[in-house]
Amino acid sequence: MSDPLDDMYREIILDHYKAPRGKRPLDDKDIESDGHNPSCGDELTMQLKVDKDNIVQDVHVDCKGCAISVASGSMLAEYIKGKPLNDVKRISEAIKKMLKGEETDIPEDLGDIDSLKGVRNFPVRIKCALLAWMTLIEGVKNFETGTKPGSFTVSTEDDKKEH
Ligand code: ZN
């Protein structure tokens, strides 16, 4: 029996799991996106409020799922608040690559998100960590193309197509 995560990382992940950031639903939102990860059963709802300059003002993430998926969503909520949407997009794509073990050059200090790196050794958990970031990427894409919020669901199963 081995634990999927290093001890030093497990503590950070459990902290987010026990007290997820961004719990409060937003009254006013510009981006809404739902994601699910059928391989684990994780379900996630995300809401974003952006200002006229496309800076993320507020984030709501509600994830019902395993510790990794909840923690990843919580870290996302904490990290993207106050950032311009363009940065958010770039960082999300970079984190997606990082979690999948692909080459990235992330200049930013990712803080707690760094602790998710441990899942790369456990393919079954990678999708759990990816869920929040993929839901965010889809939500932003819909926002930019003017697609109505909440009108779609992203599945991490779709990721297979990229391989
Ligand atoms: Zn999961």
Side-chain angles (χ1 to χ4, degrees), residues 22 24 26-31 47-60 76-85 88 136 143:
R24 190 180 57 83
L26 307 184
D27 296 328
D28 190 13
K29 62 238 174 199
D30 299 297
I31 299 174
Q47 298 172 342
L48 264 71
K49 173 71 189 157
V50 296
D51 69 9
K52 59 176 171 44
D53 298 317
N54 277 351
I55 310 279
V56 178
Q57 285 194 313
D58 215 347
V59 189
H60 165 62
L76 177 151
E78 189 173 66
Y79 192 76
I80 69 169
K81 196 170 171 177
K83 289 194 164 51
L85 219 45
V88 168
L136 174 65
F143 173 69

Side-chain angles (χ1 to χ4, degrees), residues 1-162:
M1 290 274 275
S2 65
D3 195 279
L5 300 156
D6 295 339
D7 283 356
M8 59 178 282
Y9 288 152
R10 194 196 303 143
E11 203 168 312
I12 299 169
I13 286 167
L14 283 180
D15 175 60
H16 280 271
Y17 177 59
K18 285 175 188 161
R21 282 50 149 183
K23 261 289 190 196
R24 190 180 57 83
L26 307 184
D27 296 328
D28 190 13
K29 62 238 174 199
D30 299 297
I31 299 174
E32 203 165 9
S33 179
D34 297 328
H36 73 280
N37 172 23
S39 66
C40 180
D42 310 315
E43 301 277 346
L44 189 141
T45 299
M46 187 178 294
Q47 298 172 342
L48 264 71
K49 173 71 189 157
V50 296
D51 69 9
K52 59 176 171 44
D53 298 317
N54 277 351
I55 310 279
V56 178
Q57 285 194 313
D58 215 347
V59 189
H60 165 62
V61 176
D62 182 31
C63 183
K64 292 176 175 59
C66 67
I68 304 283
S69 63
V70 173
S72 185
S74 169
M75 290 171 192
L76 177 151
E78 189 173 66
Y79 192 76
I80 69 169
K81 196 170 171 177
K83 289 194 164 51
L85 219 45
N86 277 337
D87 285 358
V88 168
K89 274 198 299 185
R90 189 173 46 80
I91 292 163
S92 302
E93 292 289 352
I95 288 171
K96 191 173 146 186
K97 282 186 176 169
M98 177 193 90
L99 291 173
K100 289 160 82 175
E102 295 167 12
E103 279 298 312
T104 54
D105 49 341
I106 306 176
E108 288 87 355
D109 174 14
L110 292 177
D112 289 355
I113 294 165
D114 216 42
S115 66
L116 293 174
K117 276 182 182 169
V119 303
R120 288 182 301 195
N121 301 323
F122 301 87
V124 124
R125 309 320 295 272
I126 293 173
K127 287 177 180 176
C128 303
L130 276 172
L131 178 64
W133 300 97
M134 292 182 66
T135 304
L136 174 65
I137 290 167
E138 289 299 318
V140 172
K141 202 186 291 171
N142 272 18
F143 173 69
E144 289 181 331
T145 56
T147 309
K148 274 197 167 164
S151 59
F152 68 98
T153 296
V154 61
S155 164
T156 45
E157 294 295 308
D158 298 341
D159 222 37
K160 281 177 189 161
K161 279 183 278 187
E162 290 178 18

